[in-house]
Amino acid sequence: MAELLYRLGRASARRAGTVIALWLALMLAAGAAFALFSGELEDSFSIPGTPTDQVNQRLKDEFSGMGGGMGTVVYQSEDGEALTQTQREEIADRVERAAEVEGVQDVVDPFATEEERDEQRELLAEGRAQFEEGKAEAEAAGVLDQVAETLDSEEERLERGEALLEMSSGIVMVSEDESTALVTVAFTDSQEEVSQQTRDAVISVFADDPVSGTTVDFADDISMELPGLVSKAEVIGVVVAGIVLVVMLGTLIGAGLPILTALIGVGIATLIAMSLSGVLEIATVTPILGLMLGLAVGIDYALFIINRHRRQLKEGVDPAESIGLANGTAGNAVVFAGATVLIALLGLNLTGIGFLGLMGSIGAIAITVAVLIAVTLVPALLSLVGVKILSRRERGRLSGENGDGKAAAGARHGGGAAPMSNLGALGRAAVAIVLLGVIALPALDLRTGMPDGSSQPVDSTQYRAYTAIAENFGDGQNGPLLVTADLPGGPDEESAEANAERYQYEVAHAISILGDVAAVAPIGVSENGTLAIFQVIPVDGPSSESTEELVHTLRGMEPIHGTAPLGVAGMASGNIDISETLSDALPTYLSVVVGLSLVILLLVFRSIFVPVVATLGFILSYFAALGGVVAVYQWGWLGGLIGLENPGPVLNFLPTLLVGILFGLAMDYMLFIGTGMREAYVHGTPARLAVVRGFRAGRAVVTAAAIIMISVFGGFVFSEMMMISSVGFALAFGVLIDAFVVRMLLIPAVMHLAGDAAWWLPRWLERILPDIDVEGSALERGHASVSEPEAEVGGSWVEVPEEGAEAASGGRG
């Protein structure tokens, strides 16, 4: 691979114009594909086969027009007074117009609904009065005993009706002070399949023709605000990355090249991803995830190659030869690092969860493009820049250097190295483990879910709608549940209808006495009288623990013995199901990634100890990252600094997504820290001294790479969308923990304590393992770019004893 990349780098440098033209053509093609084939992004997530999905499918089969998505429109009077009759009539007019929108099943007029409720109340009152009157007449006529059975039956029906009306009293469409009204929109398609065109058409009916003296807002079940791909915070992140590059490389040209190539890469990858939205159900967050990854790794991968090229130029290597060697050595490491991220992201498809696998696949596209650009476009641009990739001072120093330059460099990087003390290593390891353990503790309280209106930006229509509903109707009105109950039916239609009426009451009563239920109301019964539907309003909001417990309680209930347990649907129920499905898939995926980590590191380092320690380090950094996410986004610690107004459950797919991405990045850092240690060791350096030399060789590039990634990911923390913000924070914090605590504090300490045992490998295993030359040492020897008795270790020159020449050729285990 190293030789192939060497030739590719030389060819790209010789034909720079052609390579640049090809990438520009690819960008134009991606742009054309986006213009021709892009479709709508999805604002919701679904997993076929969940209990909620099964209930929805049954409703579609049993009830005409049921099983579709719902949306809520909130009207409020501007002065806080009761809505006037004129305003009510104008709202009713908008309701009629919205009902005519294609894709809308029905729109419920809140005022008509409340009038019907009042009529029902009056009818019950009249029925009660008539019953008492009839009973009194029967008693006066002395026939009370003869009609007792009829009277008892009639009284029972009245009591059931009165009880049902009382149970449903908490389900209202107009607030008690009559200043707020809820318009409910029923769509023909399921919640995740409602097109944005239909949503926009409904919103337009209410928003484009406002009712004088009122405000109108739309809940998050109908309103989707597509986040911008680029925000000010992300630009700041790129600027910080640029500053790091200038400090590290010392030249604006050197700093500009990684950013330029990364932007080209994410541009192409994002256009490709968006063009697939016409045929695939891509969530709004998916392209942004690709943007995050593509930008961060694109800068880092280009940096690795450019940094290697600059160092070789300063050692006096011919520019053309240096480009090839940089591509064959650092580029080889880039390909390997990219491959680990790629495999981890594609591995998300193993979870069997469609939208999560698609996220991984889109992220894999971004990684692939970043790697291809690093090993083709970067060499092409380096050839055009020439020695100007060095600063004036470096070019001047190069022109005045003699043949002792390499030796000076070797002395500078390796000569003064000394192993750390055993006590110091123990102290470092203890500090790292305790720190990671403390940070990871909040992860024990992890709760996952989907963001609701309360987590939206405070100036958004979704947040205003959520707040208005909670204040005027109760928190639970933001997440109503749809409950189904199987009924025994009857031998004929008449008896089935009579049984259904009685059973509806029994089910509703059993639900109403639950502590977390605010109200319950029957909605309807199927034609054959065997399935009843109820609307249930929880006491708390859709993302609360009590609502989650209520869903499980309802699904475990069988109010009518001999029938199936209750079924539960609705947005809150669907989000709970998705969260639980993802949580169930997480251990399996984590096991796959851990196993993959062990295999990859075993191939690279040819050691038993290093893969185990490195993988355990990844596990520690993963749970520490989760702990940070829980503390900030679930507990609300420091939430004000990032604009988080209402903490809640952690985004349900974040823990699984974090496994794949953080694993790939952790392997990158382990590669650039650990290979330096291994190279020093196999060239004859004592094990504990090799730890120090390898660490010194890789720390600069890992530090720069980590700061760049933290800056880019950190820019997304300030996104107005909570799901994007939490993903950005998790990645930024995870990189911070893994790079600086695990790879640069814990790993060197435990490697020192292990000594020679760190590199032990059974002879039988050594014979069957392929020799993966990640750093391209064989390529360097083949092109005579390294002169004896020195060798380049992990990016810096170290002195190698004469007896290490044999080890340089064959190595030692």
Side-chain angles (χ1 to χ4, degrees), residues 201-287:
V202 171
I203 291 173
S204 177
V205 169
F206 295 101
D208 293 353
D209 187 13
V211 175
S212 179
T214 69
T215 61
V216 61
D217 288 298
F218 305 91
D220 59 352
D221 53 11
I222 188 174
S223 178
M224 178 187 76
E225 295 182 1
L226 184 64
L229 288 175
V230 180
S231 69
K232 292 180 180 178
E234 289 139 33
V235 172
I236 293 174
V238 174
V239 170
V240 173
I243 294 172
V244 173
L245 289 168
V246 170
V247 171
M248 181 179 182
L249 302 178
T251 168
L252 290 176
I253 293 178
L257 277 182
I259 293 176
L260 173 63
T261 54
L263 291 175
I264 293 173
V266 296
I268 293 172
T270 303
L271 289 171
I272 292 174
M274 296 291 284
S275 67
L276 296 174
S277 60
V279 294
L280 299 174
E281 294 182 359
I282 298 179
T284 54
V285 71
T286 303

Side-chain angles (χ1 to χ4, degrees), residues 638-690:
L638 305 177
L641 298 178
I642 59 175
L644 180 65
E645 297 292 335
N646 296 290
V650 173
L651 184 63
N652 51 23
F653 57 81
L654 190 152
T656 309
L657 193 66
L658 183 62
V659 170
I661 298 175
L662 188 59
F663 163 72
L665 301 181
M667 292 305 99
D668 287 0
Y669 302 137
M670 189 64 208
L671 184 70
F672 288 100
I673 287 289
T675 51
M677 299 177 185
R678 171 171 168 77
E679 285 296 306
Y681 180 71
V682 300
H683 281 82
T685 305
R688 288 175 172 169
L689 181 59

